[in-house]
């Protein structure tokens, strides 16, 4: 008997993930707080659940991607939520990003109230990765649970890695954010340093260092953007990055892990936020080193 | 008439570069302070010059890769050095890494004393890149000089980018070091953070985040090394990285460029040095976050 699937939260990430599941031949029961978001999926063959409880009652595995832990808590433990009909043979896979400790609390509570398992599985790769089905997913939870959903997740993910028990997926996502944020700040300072020190056209940096140890996807995208003082492409809001970095610092503090580079990067993003640019893209970090419309 | 070539300094980098030139069909006149280093090249068809002056007298373009600016100054301005027989139709291409301001001084002095041009062309890619002929070379100097030697340099380089006037190649190499060093420190702290926060096997980080925004060549190599508390592979001495970072900070200070991430990374490497580990590999930076033989 095939696994019956439900998906809650058909937003920028969840929508394309459902599309990939349907393309892979899965039956998917869907629910979203604002109903219009499920209409494209219904056109493609998804079935509608009238409520979260109805969805959970009729499936074996509940997939979910929501904005934040607040939304997750409401959907799982609110009236008529996942917990109201959960049972030990069902499994929740949560692709939302949130604090590892909050994930652990929610997962433990669902387990104790219903016996239902919880896999935290935050994703990397953005909307583009969801559409292409190439998401990297970092999972925390029981090994059996993770292996049970692996064939399903492969519909939209090229990498689904178990990192440890509950919360370990969220920790890994924070690692990702630490590295990306620190690198983005470093690249902005490197571009500014180059310009002020005699490199005439810093847009050439990405080409000059391509394929070497300084290179990375963000370097190829952000270094030319910084050098040209462009505002494209947009990656994500600076305040979202700041929130992730502050979460990482909190978690690091609780666990006695020194994170000096992440701490400094977070202060750079906090300065950006204090300049009124927090809702702008992370690429605006260049404003700390060399504002647009100013000679380098 | 083809360009007559000379190469001074057949060390770890220069040796393989000469091999690639010979393979590409160039005649190469060679000289090295300790003669035994030129013997393999002579076997492959290089011709020996009895002195620097004899080499420079008989070629149009002098290629050079030496340890540091001290060695460069001796070979160029010492008795019987490059400057003693230089002339305005000859060109020096220096692959050595050194301070941009020192490069500019030496280049200006050679120009004023002899009319001979100087291209600073520090390389990235290491001995492996030299052997494979895939070095990335960041050049500073006159455009005509750089274009003149481009067909020659292509024998061992897949990327030869003019970054500006004299010294701009050295500045770009420092940019490379800023990004690599900051990223290496960040990766060590991220691995330690992961381990202390619930990731059971941090050697999986490289695999889990592969292909994403946190990924890079150093991430694939260093993250598993950090997680496994390995001492391999060796990349280069921590004190060399520290010297480059301190040079970058000096140059940044002179030019009014804030480099907070590089400054913090340099203090991490200084701490490593103060622990007596400066001559060890840069990968020992993990000792700051989680010493080997200690539980995470």
């Amino acid at each position: 008997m095939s696994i019956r699937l439900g998906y809650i939260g058909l937003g920028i990430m969840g929508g394309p993930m459902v599309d990939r599941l349907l393309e892979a031949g899965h039956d998917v029961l869907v629910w979203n707080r604002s109903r219009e978001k499920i209409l494209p999926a219904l056109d493609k063959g998804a079935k509608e659940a009238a409520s979260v409880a109805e969805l959970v009652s009729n499936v074996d595995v509940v997939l979910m991607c929501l904005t934040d832990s607040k939304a997750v808590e409401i959907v799982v433990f609110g009236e008529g939520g996942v917990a109201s009909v959960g049972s030990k043979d069902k499994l929740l896979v949560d692709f939302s990003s949130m604090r590892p400790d909050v994930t652990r609390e929610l997962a433990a509570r669902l387990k104790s109230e219903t016996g239902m398992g919880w896999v935290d599985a935050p994703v990397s790769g953005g909307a583009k990765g969801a559409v292409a089905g190439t998401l990297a997913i970092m999972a925390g939870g029981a090994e059996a649970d993770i292996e049970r959903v692996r064939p399903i997740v492969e519909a939209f993910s090229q990498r689904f890695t178990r990192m440890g028990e509950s919360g370990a997926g969220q920790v890994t996502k924070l690692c990702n954010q630490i590295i990306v944020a620190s690198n983005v700040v470093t690249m902005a300072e490197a571009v500014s340093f180059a310009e002020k020190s005699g490199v005439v056209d810093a847009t050439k940096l990405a080409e000059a260092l391509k394929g070497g140890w300084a290179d990375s996807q963000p370097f190829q995208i952000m270094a030319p953007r910084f050098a040209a003082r462009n505002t494209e492409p947009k990656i994500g809001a600076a305040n979202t990055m700041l929130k992730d970095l502050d979460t990482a610092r909190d978690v690091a503090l609780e666990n006695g892990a020194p994170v000096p580079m992440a701490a400094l990067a977070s202060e750079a993003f906090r300065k950006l936020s204090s300049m009124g640019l927090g809702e702008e893209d992370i690429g605006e970090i260049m404003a700390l080193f060399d504002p647009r419309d100013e000679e380098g």
Side-chain angles (χ1 to χ4, degrees), chain A:
Chain A
M1 199 188 78
S2 77
I3 299 174
R4 296 170 304 161
L5 276 187
Y7 204 108
I8 297 173
L10 282 74
I12 296 171
M13 301 300 293
M17 289 160 91
V18 169
D19 290 347
R20 297 292 81 71
L21 288 167
L22 293 168
E23 275 173 19
H26 294 284
D27 290 327
V28 191
L29 198 56
V30 297
W31 184 87
N32 195 79
R33 193 180 43 170
S34 35
R35 183 175 178 267
E36 73 272 15
K37 294 228 176 121
I38 68 168
L39 300 180
L42 297 185
D43 278 347
K44 292 167 190 157
K47 297 283 184 302
E48 178 175 8
S51 67
V52 169
E54 184 187 306
L55 182 144
V56 177
S57 299
N58 286 284
V59 302
D60 306 301
V61 171
V62 181
L63 308 174
M64 181 166 78
C65 192
L66 302 176
T67 316
D68 53 26
S69 58
K70 199 57 130 189
V72 170
E73 192 169 359
I74 291 169
V75 165
V76 178
F77 296 106
E79 205 182 314
V82 175
S84 68
V85 289
S87 60
K88 73 171 169 42
D89 51 322
K90 295 184 193 291
L91 178 61
L92 178 65
V93 182
D94 180 24
F95 301 112
S96 321
S97 288
M98 70 179 81
R99 295 177 58 105
D101 49 355
V102 173
T103 279
R104 285 186 199 110
E105 282 169 27
L106 297 178
R109 184 176 159 196
L110 184 66
K111 176 67 87 177
S112 80
E113 290 185 9
T114 70
M116 188 170 174
W118 181 309
V119 171
D120 57 296
V123 307
S124 167
K128 200 182 277 187
V131 170
T134 57
L135 293 170
I137 304 186
M138 304 78 99
E143 189 150 11
D145 289 343
I146 288 169
E147 293 313 315
R148 181 178 173 198
V149 295
R150 184 179 295 282
I152 298 163
V153 166
E154 278 172 354
F156 46 76
S157 166
Q158 65 183 357
R159 214 170 290 283
F160 182 58
T161 315
R162 179 172 189 264
M163 299 306 293
E165 299 299 327
S166 182
Q170 302 294 354
V171 169
T172 305
K173 176 73 187 273
L174 290 177
C175 281
N176 187 76
Q177 300 304 80
I178 286 173
I179 294 168
V180 171
S182 299
N183 203 11
V184 166
V185 178
T186 302
M187 292 183 299
E189 97 181 27
V191 167
S192 153
F193 168 80
E195 291 177 344
K196 290 175 188 285
S197 308
V199 168
V200 177
D201 177 7
T203 60
K204 285 186 182 167
L205 276 174
E207 173 65 17
L209 303 181
K210 190 172 180 174
W213 267 46
D215 199 16
S216 61
Q217 281 186 63
F219 184 68
Q220 288 299 321
I221 290 168
M222 302 306 276
R225 183 192 150 159
F226 290 150
R229 305 297 189 278
N230 279 339
T231 59
E232 300 289 338
K234 301 223 185 302
I235 307 306
N239 277 347
T240 305
M241 183 60 92
L242 177 57
K243 193 192 73 175
D244 287 348
L245 289 170
D246 283 339
T247 299
R249 288 175 76 178
D250 273 1
V251 172
L253 187 63
E254 281 162 20
N255 295 297
V259 285
M261 302 296 282
L264 184 56
S266 78
E267 297 311 323
F269 281 104
R270 198 176 328 283
K271 171 66 183 167
L272 195 67
S273 191
S274 78
M275 291 162 69
L277 297 170
E279 294 308 319
E280 302 297 320
D281 190 73
I282 57 170
E284 290 306 308
I285 200 73
M286 190 64 194
L288 266 61
F289 297 97
D290 237 340
R292 209 170 297 122
D293 306 322
E294 196 187 272
E295 289 301 314

